[in-house]
């Protein structure tokens, strides 16, 4: 017989692994979407970076099927990685486009080696405070929603006092 999912005993390790996979997928999708927006607008649009943290936390929440400390830590770690890779490709695109626009060429590897990641991400953070501020905000968003989840208070749980 099939058990009701609400009463079935959960396996936190298995759920967290699934949450990690879902979070990685969401981070990849959110980073790719940000890249597409940057290509379309030809500006960095750093204000969209918190959406990466939100998407990752949502993926972890859906996969793990529960919020909490572990889900928050996983969401934060995945968000840091997703932002690093997304920022690398966004800044790489913008730098190469700038050189092309000025009839020059700059070769930045498509596969981000660690030394190139440090240089390219350092360049992005060195242009102004926006990338750093929105990266920190994305990490905070991932932690908050990883810890608290996305469930709202149901109307039947709210007790309204009659006067």
């Amino acid at each position: 017989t099939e058990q009701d999912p609400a009463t079935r005993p959960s396996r936190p390790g298995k759920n967290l692994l699934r949450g990690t996979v879902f979070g990685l997928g969401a981070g990849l999708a959110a980073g790719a979407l940000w890249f597409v927006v940057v290509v379309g607008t030809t500006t960095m649009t750093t204000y969209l970076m918190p959406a990466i943290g939100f998407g990752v936390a949502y993926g972890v929440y859906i996969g793990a099927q529960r919020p909490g400390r572990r889900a928050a830590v996983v969401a934060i770690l995945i968000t840091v990685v997703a932002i690093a890779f997304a920022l690398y490709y966004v800044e790489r695109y913008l730098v190469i486009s700038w050189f092309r626009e000025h009839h020059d060429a700059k070769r930045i590897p498509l596969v981000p080696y660690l030394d190139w990641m440090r240089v390219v991400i350092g360049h992005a953070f060195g242009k102004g405070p926006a990338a750093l501020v929105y990266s920190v905000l994305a990490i905070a968003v991932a932690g908050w929603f990883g810890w608290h989840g996305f469930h709202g208070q149901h109307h039947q749980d709210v007790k309204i006092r009659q006067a």
Side-chain angles (χ1 to χ4, degrees), residues 38-120:
V38 168
V39 169
T41 62
T42 65
T43 60
M44 191 172 232
T45 59
T46 51
Y47 56 86
L48 294 177
M49 291 172 81
I52 295 173
F54 184 84
V56 167
Y58 189 72
V60 170
Y61 175 75
I62 292 299
Q65 298 177 345
R66 73 171 84 189
R69 184 179 4 185
R70 289 180 178 168
V73 169
V74 168
I76 287 169
L77 293 175
I78 293 172
T79 298
V80 168
V81 171
I83 285 175
F85 278 97
L87 190 57
Y88 175 84
Y89 285 108
V90 163
E91 188 65 16
R92 177 186 181 276
Y93 172 79
L94 293 172
V95 168
I96 289 173
S97 295
W98 186 88
F99 274 94
R100 187 178 309 125
E101 195 174 289
H102 291 87
H103 309 291
D104 202 349
K106 179 69 177 170
R107 302 224 185 274
I108 301 174
L110 184 61
V111 177
Y113 302 106
L114 192 56
D115 57 339
W116 271 102
M117 281 196 81
R118 186 180 53 76
V119 170
V120 172

Side-chain angles (χ1 to χ4, degrees), residues 2-24:
E2 193 73 26
Q3 278 187 329
D4 181 25
T7 60
R8 185 181 331 145
S10 67
R11 295 158 55 192
K14 185 175 182 182
N15 286 349
L16 193 59
L17 178 62
R18 191 170 71 198
T20 301
V21 171
F22 278 45
L24 286 169

Side-chain angles (χ1 to χ4, degrees), residues 47 49-51 53-54 79 83 131-143:
Y47 56 86
M49 291 172 81
F54 184 84
T79 298
I83 285 175
L132 182 61
V133 168
Y134 285 115
S135 293
V136 169
L137 187 57
I139 293 166
V141 164

